[in-house]
Amino acid sequence: MKPRKDLLDIASLTDEEIEFVLSNAVPFKDLFKRSVKKVPTLRGRSVLTLFYEPSTRTRSSFEVAANRLSADVTNFDVESSSVVKGESVVDTVETLEAMRVDYIVVRHKQSGTPNLIARSTRASVINAGDGWHAHPTQALLDAFTLREKLKDIRGARVVIVGDIQHSRVARSTSLLLRRLGAQVAYLAPGSLMPRDLPPDVTTFHSWDDVLTNFRPDVVYLLRVQMERQGEQFFPSLGEYHKLFGLTDARLQVLRERKLWLMHPGPVNRGVEITDAGMNYERSLINEQVENGIAVRMSVLYWLRPGAE
Ligand code: CP
């Protein structure tokens, strides 16, 4: 396998690379059961997290992953940096480059920013979410989580529910699951369904229809992006919950059919999911978080700073 410097999206990965990351995450996860969870793999290496957008899971997960590999971790605090004085991304990265960090984990609201950074640094750049474009480590941890439960993703039926149009998670996870042989459907209001749909994805606009005609094994809920509420993609949050949320009545169907439930977080209780949904016995939400650390350890282990 050719050494790779950056992880920017799912589309550019080979099947061999996907398999390498997913299979190496297994022994990393086994470490979590030990009293000492740390290995010396990246001792002497440095990881910088550069988040221009908020994050709870991804940022802390990378931090824990890097610590468990014995790397030194620095969180670049955008809010208290010269970025607020107008310093550009390129100038910020040039400064960081002079510090000779080995890995830069970046999140930015502008699609393509991680690619731009990757071209101007020898450090390995990992895209932790850029605009609507991609969130590759979320997709990898989702695939890892499903593989743990289903053993083989081939033939699994996964419906992704909610704001597909603005979701980098939907784009990356859908692409990866389809590459691994899953059948993927989207359930969303017309206003939140992308126009450029992949030909192998089926679309639905009602729960009844998707439950009757697609018969999913896995329901993957997306976060309603509250920051877009000014844009009126649906009449109200209450209306959204009624038509597209996992209500307690729909949860009952999931329970009867033993369907798996996933969500990338953060969740909006009472909107896309209820308290009962959060406590559902086949919810994989917490496992997604735990697996995120193992998968990110595997990604850090795989990438080669300075590779061509
Ligand atoms: N899933 C995810 O990206 O969560 P955060 O925004 O908390 O990182």
Side-chain angles (χ1 to χ4, degrees), residues 54-59 107 128 135 138 169 264-266:
S55 166
T56 298
R57 277 145 287 271
T58 311
R59 183 166 169 159
R107 171 172 289 187
H135 194 346
Q138 179 70 48
V169 173

Side-chain angles (χ1 to χ4, degrees), residues 173-284:
T173 293
S174 162
L175 177 59
L176 181 55
L177 295 184
R178 285 181 286 121
R179 279 187 64 175
L180 294 171
Q183 290 187 51
V184 173
Y186 294 161
L187 166 62
S191 57
L192 294 175
M193 192 69 89
R195 303 283 166 260
D196 55 337
L197 284 163
D200 54 341
V201 168
T202 323
T203 60
F204 294 90
H205 297 290
S206 89
W207 273 96
D208 282 350
D209 196 9
V210 81
L211 290 172
T212 308
N213 295 313
F214 183 67
R215 299 195 71 81
D217 305 300
V218 181
V219 173
Y220 192 113
L221 300 178
L222 294 173
R223 177 175 77 89
V224 169
Q225 303 195 20
M226 295 297 198
E227 59 275 24
R228 298 192 191 284
Q229 282 319 290
E231 298 172 51
Q232 286 292 319
F233 288 102
F234 43 84
S236 68
L237 294 176
E239 190 81 359
Y240 181 90
H241 179 67
K242 216 164 70 186
L243 294 175
F244 294 97
L246 181 64
T247 58
D248 288 349
R250 290 175 188 135
L251 179 64
Q252 199 46 39
V253 180
L254 266 63
R255 181 166 279 131
E256 281 159 15
R257 295 191 189 175
K258 294 188 163 48
L259 308 191
W260 297 107
L261 176 64
M262 300 177 82
H263 191 305
V267 303
N268 298 299
R269 287 178 189 246
V271 183
E272 71 266 10
I273 194 166
T274 58
D275 289 341
M278 290 299 288
N279 295 325
Y280 175 44
E281 59 280 8
R282 288 172 85 85
S283 162
L284 300 176

Side-chain angles (χ1 to χ4, degrees), residues 24-25 28-29 31-32 37-39 42 61-62 64-69 291-302:
N24 277 303
F28 283 126
K29 188 171 176 186
L31 277 178
F32 303 173
K37 298 175 181 60
K38 217 164 169 167
V39 286
L42 292 188
S61 177
F62 268 111
V64 174
N67 275 320
R68 288 189 183 169
L69 291 169
N291 292 337
I293 299 169
V295 165
R296 287 171 177 129
M297 287 173 81
S298 183
V299 166
L300 289 166
Y301 168 70
W302 159 57

Side-chain angles (χ1 to χ4, degrees), residues 123-136:
S124 283
V125 174
I126 303 171
N127 181 0
D130 61 330
W132 305 352
H133 171 228
H135 194 346

